[in-house]
Amino acid sequence: MGRRKKMVERVTTLMNDPERIRNIGIVAHIDHGKTTLSDNLLAGAGMISKELAGRQLFMDSDEEEQARGITIDASNVSMVHTFDNEDYLINLIDTPGHVDFGGDVTRAMRAVDGAVVVVDAVEGTMPQTETVLRQALREHVRPVLFVNKVDRLINELQVDSQEMQVRLGKVIDHVNKLIKNMNPEKFKAGWKVDAAAGTVAFGSALYNWAISVPMMKKTGVSFNDVFNYCKAGDMKTLAEKCPLHEAVLDMVIHFLPNPLVAQQGRVKVIWHGDENSEIGKSMTHANADGDLAFMVTDISVDPHAGEVATGRLFSGSLTRGMEVYTSGTAKKSRVQQVGIFMGPERLEVDKIPAGNIAAVTGLKDAIVGSTVTTLDGMTPFESIRHVSEPVVTVAVEAKHTKDLPKLIEVLRQVAKEDPTLQITLDEETGEHLMAGMGELHLEVIAHRIERDKNVEITTSKPIVVYRETIKKKIEAVEGKSPNRHNRFYIYVEPLDTEIVSAIKEGEVSMNMPELERRQKLIELGMDKEQAKGIVGIFNSNIFIDMTKGIQYLNETMELVLDGFEEVMRAGPLTREPVANVKCVLVDAKLHEDAIHRGPAQIIPASRQAIQAGMLMAEDSLLEPYQKVFVQVPQLLMGGATKELQGRRGVILNMTTEGDLAIIEARVPVAEMFGFAGEIRSATEGRAMWSTEFGGFDVVPSSILNEIVGQIRERKGLKKDLPKASDYLSM
């Protein structure tokens, strides 16, 4: 512990000098070596023993992570590295690589300024490499590249020195191509990775060595020397001459921005308030004496201290006992403890200034994405947008009736810790439904509920989350209130895909200044009058008010939107969430007496008009898809393609590399259950495969009625399909 204590003292001293801080994330495809790399960086900083580095997997502290051999949660650590005789503080976040836990990567990217992208030299850039790079660039996080497992190229693939350099060059080119396509302006601004400039390092995290061009100059070890050492199997000498932590952390300190530089560009991307206001300037300059602006990126539970909110401090300083506002709540909270993470341990400190990643207890109302501030009425940070959506659901029940009240509390807690999880209570069937990113995601959560929260549960078989949508535009439909005194005339039509994408990307939202939103929508092809009339956006659906001068409508608009949101949460056909629908209010007749236009009258009237309208507009279902990437020996390719096509999959691309065939396909999530076992038997266990979220697509009409029937039966709804007339009161 003495070593750790000394480290904490060094960390707390450096915290006050933002120029010497680097906040970085380590991102990659699953199994490309992130956690092994983190281990070596910690060993280099003297926090764990060098002998165990790479095998200890210090950052995978959860027993489930150790049992499965994968990272599930992003974990933080602060350490000190000396570069050019100066000490620097490095706040590092090790992130998961599995597609089911991609939400952790998105949240971590909000807290950091730079990312070390790890790529396996043998496998090259994989689907998840692309996804994590996109998440980083979207949050304006600058990447540098570490090409891992170079020893495998030499010893397993037996390439010669020339071929090795060609293959490494290809990896760099591909990463640059991705950066250029995802963010051309940053690419032009010098964000490309370049071995000659020093923004690429090559090495082996397992054997603890790495080399980069600046490192070659410093040590005199050339590429040919590296090749010869690997060929001779002498990794130890190589690790002594070119220690991995030195090459990677030197690169991080030299090329990734400190908070002062990073926040000048990042604040305007993640915060839409007035840049010239006091708080705007304070955040841009990482001012430790300004008002507090803290963005929560992670919530975890400490058995002794309760909820711990971890996040990035953009302005001000956090101290114990200070009173703060949390966005979305009116009352103040009191900060109980502030600390920093050392992997699984949280160590208390007295004060944390702007530019650091901090862990805080006492913020009971905070959720992931909350803005915590001392400034009443501060514009909150932009909400964190996740790349994929929940596509698989299980019903959760308590094994013992006595645990029922506890289960509800536990599910609420779990959803708070992991915002990519959606928990709903189906009031008609009394089931608790848990929707997540995939089978593994839900399996891990269910296991944690039993292990950490001590509630024994049973879960149903996984089922797929569909979305309802419409196919055509219809004339306005009249919705009447139960007392017949209020009427709304609403028509529905499909929303343009460009606008849907902009909403999902967060480029269009109700938090934006109205003029900016209107301008953006007109650019995307929306009619000017409609763009002006937007009053509500819910998921990927919008509500537009096109009426003119209707008395009392302003007072009742909130209730009209409540009706709209109710339908968008559960559509008329199958009670599944609704996507990509535009609802337009064209006329309304309202009773002059407020008592006759209360919630019990207005909400049903707007709700019924939209429900009936959707059924008239050919209400249909969208189903989630996954992109599936399979690598298989060419001789066994037939078995793999047959397996994919037998699951309604469409083969998008096939390429060959040596004797390997690489198949890219798009398969409905509903058909992916049990895929792991089947692909193994179809390819004699020699296929490697991975998936990523592939969006939604309309269910083929040939199987639509069958799927709708199954969903309605499962939810206990009437067998007969609903008709528009069911919702219109005569």
Side-chain angles (χ1 to χ4, degrees):
M1 193 58 204
R3 219 170 13 171
R4 197 77 49 87
K5 194 167 181 218
K6 206 166 165 197
M7 177 64 78
V8 173
E9 283 167 13
R10 291 173 74 193
V11 166
T12 38
T13 315
L14 286 167
M15 266 183 192
N16 299 301
D17 183 355
E19 287 189 6
R20 292 213 221 153
I21 298 174
R22 300 292 182 275
N23 297 307
I24 63 165
I26 294 194
V27 297
H29 187 79
I30 188 165
D31 279 343
H32 279 199
K34 294 176 298 301
T35 306
T36 314
L37 172 66
S38 305
D39 254 20
N40 282 314
L41 300 182
L42 292 172
M47 289 176 63
I48 60 175
S49 94
K50 287 197 169 149
E51 286 68 45
L52 291 174
R55 293 174 184 81
Q56 183 176 347
L57 303 181
F58 179 77
M59 302 296 268
D60 283 354
S61 51
D62 187 284
E63 60 192 65
E64 180 114 5
E65 296 183 308
Q66 288 164 1
R68 291 178 185 272
I70 59 171
T71 303
I72 293 170
D73 301 313
S75 46
N76 303 21
V77 67
S78 298
M79 57 186 173
V80 177
H81 176 66
T82 309
F83 173 67
D84 283 352
N85 300 322
E86 295 259 2
D87 278 356
Y88 287 84
L89 168 61
I90 292 179
N91 296 317
L92 176 142
I93 304 184
D94 178 31
T95 65
H98 194 288
V99 62
D100 280 16
F101 308 108
D104 270 59
V105 184
T106 311
R107 298 192 287 281
M109 288 302 106
R110 180 60 63 94
V112 299
D113 303 318
V116 178
V117 180
V118 183
V119 177
D120 182 325
V122 177
E123 290 187 0
T125 50
M126 297 289 278
Q128 202 57 18
T129 318
E130 204 168 314
T131 310
V132 294
L133 199 51
R134 181 173 286 115
Q135 285 163 302
L137 290 169
R138 183 197 273 174
E139 289 284 345
H140 282 231
V141 168
R142 182 170 185 160
V144 289
L145 178 65
F146 175 62
V147 184
N148 193 14
K149 307 190 188 184
V150 173
D151 56 303
R152 282 186 62 199
L153 265 187
I154 300 163
N155 296 339
E156 288 177 30
L157 300 190
Q158 302 285 325
V159 299
D160 59 28
S161 177
Q162 199 56 41
E163 168 78 347
M164 172 177 95
Q165 295 194 34
V166 168
R167 290 186 79 136
L168 294 174
K170 274 188 183 162
V171 171
I172 298 170
D173 289 347
H174 196 203
V175 170
N176 277 327
K177 198 167 150 197
L178 293 175
I179 297 173
K180 190 176 181 178
N181 291 343
M182 289 171 193
N183 199 329
E185 66 190 73
K186 286 289 178 202
F187 182 80
K188 282 185 197 134
W191 278 30
K192 71 181 221 173
V193 292
D194 180 357
T199 46
V200 183
F202 310 92
S204 165
L206 187 59
Y207 295 111
N208 206 347
W209 63 268
I211 192 87
S212 60
V213 172
M215 194 74 174
M216 287 178 190
K217 289 176 185 158
K218 191 165 155 186
T219 59
V221 175
S222 69
F223 251 125
N224 279 341
D225 298 338
V226 169
F227 182 81
N228 296 332
Y229 279 124
C230 286
K231 204 80 180 141
D234 186 2
M235 302 290 182
K236 207 160 182 196
T237 313
L238 200 47
E240 280 163 16
K241 290 193 169 188
C242 308
L244 176 132
H245 73 275
E246 208 175 301
V248 173
L249 294 180
D250 284 2
M251 173 169 81
V252 161
I253 288 165
H254 199 252
F255 294 102
L256 294 183
N258 64 43
L260 293 176
V261 174
Q263 288 182 201
Q264 286 178 11
R266 286 195 69 207
V267 169
K268 53 177 177 280
V269 177
I270 58 176
W271 185 69
H272 283 318
D274 175 10
E275 280 178 51
N276 297 316
S277 61
E278 273 306 307
I279 188 74
K281 287 178 188 162
S282 180
M283 286 196 288
T284 310
H285 299 107
N287 178 9
D289 302 320
D291 273 303
L292 185 77
F294 176 67
M295 166 97 194
V296 179
T297 58
D298 188 46
I299 299 263
S300 53
V301 173
D302 180 314
H304 309 295
E307 283 183 13
V308 182
T310 309
R312 171 66 181 266
L313 186 54
F314 286 94
S315 163
S317 296
L318 273 165
T319 51
R320 191 181 315 150
M322 70 191 302
E323 292 201 330
V324 292
Y325 295 99
T326 305
S327 57
T329 54
K331 58 179 192 295
K332 284 185 166 185
S333 320
R334 186 182 289 276
V335 172
Q336 285 167 359
Q337 296 174 340
V338 292
I340 53 171
F341 268 107
M342 294 285 181
E345 292 175 50
R346 186 170 46 85
L347 299 167
E348 266 191 77
V349 294
D350 297 328
K351 175 182 172 187
I352 298 185
N356 285 285
I357 294 173
V360 187
T361 61
L363 307 177
K364 282 193 282 297
D365 299 319
I367 55 171
V368 169
S370 289
T371 303
V372 177
T373 174
T374 45
L375 189 67
D376 191 9
M378 173 186 166
T379 308
F381 288 105
E382 278 297 285
S383 56
I384 297 175
R385 298 181 304 281
H386 292 100
V387 175
S388 53
E389 303 175 34
V391 291
V392 178
T393 299
V394 290
V396 181
E397 285 174 17
K399 266 189 193 164
H400 313 293
T401 325
K402 67 175 172 45
D403 283 338
L404 238 171
K406 193 174 174 190
L407 176 67
I408 295 171
E409 189 46 49
V410 162
L411 287 173
R412 199 170 286 142
Q413 184 65 52
V414 166
K416 194 172 183 183
E417 288 175 38
D418 184 349
T420 50
L421 205 64
Q422 279 182 2
I423 305 284
T424 34
L425 174 61
D426 192 323
E427 284 165 12
E428 285 163 13
T429 60
E431 288 177 313
H432 299 93
L433 300 176
M434 190 160 80
M437 300 290 163
E439 282 180 272
L440 179 65
H441 188 200
L442 295 175
E443 203 180 298
V444 166
I445 298 289
H447 184 242
R448 286 188 174 178
I449 290 174
E450 295 199 321
R451 187 194 72 194
D452 300 343
K453 318 284 187 195
N454 300 321
V455 178
E456 288 192 43
I457 54 170
T458 53
T459 53
S460 67
K461 272 186 158 166
I463 43 186
V464 172
V465 184
Y466 290 87
R467 301 276 189 274
E468 281 189 36
T469 193
I470 53 173
K471 290 184 173 174
K472 61 177 194 182
K473 180 180 174 178
I474 52 136
E475 295 295 309
V477 175
E478 179 187 63
K480 297 180 201 159
S481 61
N483 64 11
R484 302 283 191 275
H485 291 319
N486 307 284
R487 293 161 193 244
F488 294 100
Y489 299 87
I490 297 174
Y491 74 81
V492 296
E493 65 174 314
L495 189 56
D496 294 348
T497 45
E498 283 87 3
I499 295 173
V500 170
S501 303
I503 293 172
K504 285 185 177 169
E505 292 285 327
E507 291 167 17
V508 172
S509 73
M510 291 310 284
N511 300 337
M512 294 167 77
E514 194 194 332
L515 267 171
E516 202 179 305
R517 183 176 62 236
R518 192 189 313 169
Q519 202 46 50
K520 183 77 193 161
L521 287 166
I522 294 169
E523 279 169 29
L524 291 166
M526 187 181 263
D527 172 71
K528 188 179 174 183
E529 286 304 307
Q530 285 200 351
K532 214 162 143 183
I534 288 191
V535 283
I537 297 178
F538 187 78
N539 292 343
S540 56
N541 310 289
I542 60 176
F543 192 91
I544 299 176
D545 173 18
M546 294 294 282
T547 60
K548 293 275 187 290
I550 290 177
Q551 222 174 347
Y552 316 119
L553 186 59
N554 277 354
E555 301 161 33
T556 48
M557 186 49 84
E558 210 161 295
L559 298 173
V560 174
L561 287 174
D562 285 348
F564 159 71
E565 285 183 17
E566 246 179 70
V567 185
M568 296 307 112
R569 275 194 193 94
L573 191 63
T574 54
R575 305 259 163 191
E576 293 284 275
V578 175
N580 317 352
V581 170
K582 183 203 285 184
C583 301
V584 185
L585 176 67
V586 287
D587 198 3
K589 295 189 173 76
L590 296 168
H591 197 283
E592 62 216 29
D593 194 341
I595 212 158
H596 291 301
R597 44 170 211 272
Q601 304 299 333
I602 301 296
I603 294 175
S606 80
R607 185 177 62 211
Q608 287 165 359
I610 297 170
Q611 285 169 324
M614 281 184 65
L615 291 169
M616 290 176 182
E618 292 179 21
D619 199 348
S620 182
L621 288 184
L622 294 169
E623 64 178 339
Y625 274 75
Q626 276 182 328
K627 275 189 180 170
V628 184
F629 302 84
V630 182
Q631 289 187 337
V632 63
Q634 285 188 25
L635 297 170
L636 301 165
M637 189 171 79
T641 49
K642 194 171 162 201
E643 190 54 49
L644 290 165
Q645 285 165 332
R647 293 171 179 269
R648 292 201 284 124
V650 177
I651 308 281
L652 302 175
N653 194 7
M654 282 169 86
T655 51
T656 55
E657 207 171 276
D659 64 342
L660 266 191
I662 299 157
I663 307 165
E664 188 182 329
R666 198 161 174 266
V667 187
V669 173
E671 305 287 343
M672 283 296 288
F673 297 124
F675 179 71
E678 300 287 330
I679 189 92
R680 252 185 231 121
S681 35
T683 60
E684 298 171 12
R686 291 175 67 191
M688 295 261 299
W689 61 284
S690 61
T691 59
E692 68 173 4
F693 179 61
F696 283 83
D697 234 330
V698 180
V699 170
S701 46
S702 53
I703 56 170
L704 178 66
N705 284 354
E706 184 192 332
I707 290 176
V708 169
Q710 285 168 0
I711 298 174
R712 290 184 69 84
E713 190 180 325
R714 191 183 80 232
K715 293 189 174 183
L717 302 170
K718 277 193 232 147
K719 231 178 178 162
D720 307 334
L721 293 189
K723 299 189 287 293
S725 53
D726 300 345
Y727 292 102
L728 297 173
S729 39
M730 293 301 154

